[in-house]
Structures are given as structure tokens and as C-alpha cells.
Amino acid sequence: MIIAYIVAMQAEAQPFIDNFGVQEVPGFFSPLPCRLYHARMGSATDLYVVLNGKVHGSDLIGCESASVATQAAIQKLHPDLVINSGTCGAFSSNGADIAKVYLGNAVMFHDRRVPGDDEWGTQALGNYPVWDGTKALAEKLNLPMGKVTTGSSLDMQPCDLQMIKENNGELKDMEGAAVAFVCSLYNVPVLLVKSVTDLCDNSAETYDEFKRNLAMASEELCKVNIRIVEELKG
Ligand code: ADE
């Protein structure tokens, strides 16, 4: 089985990279900034971790970079499963807490406002399929599930919140729907694993809360990813 993780930030992936001992394959995606790490697990599983990469010293976050990385990973690695692992904002009113890790049971965009025409509006929202083994995996590993909604901003404008609430969104990120969109084009299943760094319904400043909790949320993400890989490789 070939598993390809797509991760935006080095800090989100580092605990996982260290734990699995995946080795960097320098220049694999050149001239793209994406970075590849690889480990052979047992006799039948190739584990790849693809980072979006950096430009001018900072991690490439957001939909465009996630799409490029996913496209490159699918074309060059031919994964059986893509896993988008990362951090998210979530709502304490839904039972979320800092560093709680979820599997995404649905995924859409929340900041693409295309009025008027039903077809374009539907396309803009996305609502892409997620891996059909997600629910069984969540039950097996006793993990909560939630609907991921993706936008291009860390903050949340009132119109974003309205869209999220109207569509029962629970996990607000900046990459999930972009990864799932590319996977849908190639018919490659996608699993979303999201760890909460900040709560969208408290009074804290989002960026401060995100930075404060990034390390802890990434550690918890790592623990869940270890269990997921153990389960997948059988
Ligand atoms: N990643 C972590 N927290 C986020 C938030 N509140 N919105 C979007 N992406 C995030």
C-alpha cells in the first residue's frame, strides 16, 4: 500500500517525521518547493510525507500550495490513499477542545461565494468525497469525526461563519477541500486528520491561540497518525 501524507507546515509534520524515521528525498519535486520524506514500512507499505514546502523561509499554507503538492504527489507517487494531516479551528459549542484530533467525514469550501446560478454555487462549495473507510477507522480507533470546511484565511468573517453554520461545518482549516478536490479529479481516496489549535467561538485572538497551541496540537496529531498508519498497514 502506498500512503501519501500531504502536510502544510513543517511544525505539523515534524513529530510524525521524527517518529517514523522517514528520510528526506532531496530535490524529488524540483522545481516545485514541495519536500518528500519516505520510509518503507514492513514489506508492503510505502509511507510518504509530502510537505508543501517553503518560500522565502515560511511554510506554504493554503489551498493553492495544497493543490500543487497533492497534484505532484499523485502524479509522481501513485498513492492508494492520500492523507491530509494538519491543524484546524473548531467550535467549543460542538464539544471541541484544544488538541482534540478528528477525522473528517465531509469536506467543503466556506469562503467561495458565487451567487445566482445553482450549478456554479454548488461547484464553489465543493463537497468532495472522503475515503469510504473513514467511519470504520474512526470507530476502530475511537476518534471523533467532523465536517471540515476550508477557506483561504485564518480569521473568520461573519459571512464565513454563516456559511459554516448553514452547512454544519465543524473543523475550519485552510487546505482540506483543496486536497480533496485534486483527489476527486484523480479518483484517489482522501482521509482528513485534523487537530484543533484554536476555538472559533471564544474571545481569544485566533493567531495567538494558534501559535500557542501549535506544538501541543501537532504532538497529538502525531499520536493519532501513528495509530492510523499502524492500522492501515495491518
Ligand atoms: N488552522 C488552524 N486554525 C485555523 C483556523 N482557525 N482557521 C483556518 N485554518 C486553521
Side-chain angles (χ1 to χ4, degrees):
M1 179 183 207
I2 300 174
I3 301 169
Y5 272 83
I6 308 288
V7 187
M9 295 178 62
Q10 186 95 35
E12 291 169 324
Q14 199 62 49
F16 186 56
I17 287 172
D18 294 342
N19 186 280
F20 275 108
V22 284
Q23 298 296 315
E24 184 160 10
V25 186
F28 183 81
F29 288 113
S30 178
L32 299 177
C34 313
R35 292 162 82 145
L36 180 70
Y37 296 80
H38 172 248
R40 182 92 172 142
M41 316 274 303
S43 60
T45 303
D46 279 295
L47 178 64
Y48 293 104
V49 179
V50 179
L51 298 185
N52 293 351
K54 294 178 194 253
V55 166
H56 305 310
S58 64
D59 292 314
L60 287 166
I61 58 171
C63 296
E64 295 82 357
S65 302
S67 298
V68 168
T70 307
Q71 157 104 355
I74 290 176
Q75 288 205 333
K76 292 197 71 163
L77 305 174
H78 307 286
D80 299 299
L81 180 67
V82 164
I83 304 180
N84 175 225
S85 171
T87 54
C88 69
F91 296 83
S92 54
S93 58
N94 291 335
D97 214 342
I98 301 299
K100 188 166 170 178
V101 181
Y102 292 78
L103 300 187
N105 58 5
V107 62
M108 62 175 283
F109 288 101
H110 63 243
D111 66 351
R112 293 166 141 195
R113 295 174 292 280
V114 185
D117 176 322
D118 278 351
E119 287 182 21
W120 289 107
T122 301
Q123 185 194 126
L125 294 180
N127 280 307
Y128 307 108
V130 296
W131 177 44
D132 62 7
T134 299
K135 185 162 182 279
L137 184 67
E139 283 170 3
K140 186 96 193 257
L141 300 183
N142 196 23
L143 294 169
M145 292 193 295
K147 180 168 186 170
V148 176
T149 77
T150 300
S152 293
S153 299
L154 188 72
D155 77 359
M156 185 171 63
Q157 295 299 311
C159 53
D160 297 325
L161 180 60
Q162 186 184 343
M163 188 78 95
I164 289 169
K165 288 293 167 197
E166 277 173 8
N167 290 277
N168 302 313
E170 294 173 273
L171 310 170
K172 175 178 176 286
D173 82 345
M174 294 179 67
E175 287 90 16
V179 173
F181 165 63
V182 176
C183 287
S184 75
L185 298 180
Y186 286 95
N187 221 359
V188 174
V190 61
L191 172 67
L192 303 163
V193 189
K194 298 284 158 179
S195 180
V196 177
T197 46
D198 51 273
L199 296 169
C200 301
D201 52 357
N202 66 9
S203 58
E205 209 283 312
T206 304
Y207 183 65
D208 294 343
E209 200 180 21
F210 167 76
K211 294 265 282 191
R212 199 163 53 241
N213 295 318
L214 178 60
M216 182 174 56
S218 300
E219 286 296 338
E220 293 306 309
L221 193 59
C222 173
K223 289 180 195 164
V224 169
N225 279 317
I226 290 168
R227 295 170 65 213
I228 288 173
V229 171
E230 283 304 314
E231 186 62 33
L232 290 174
K233 79 181 174 68

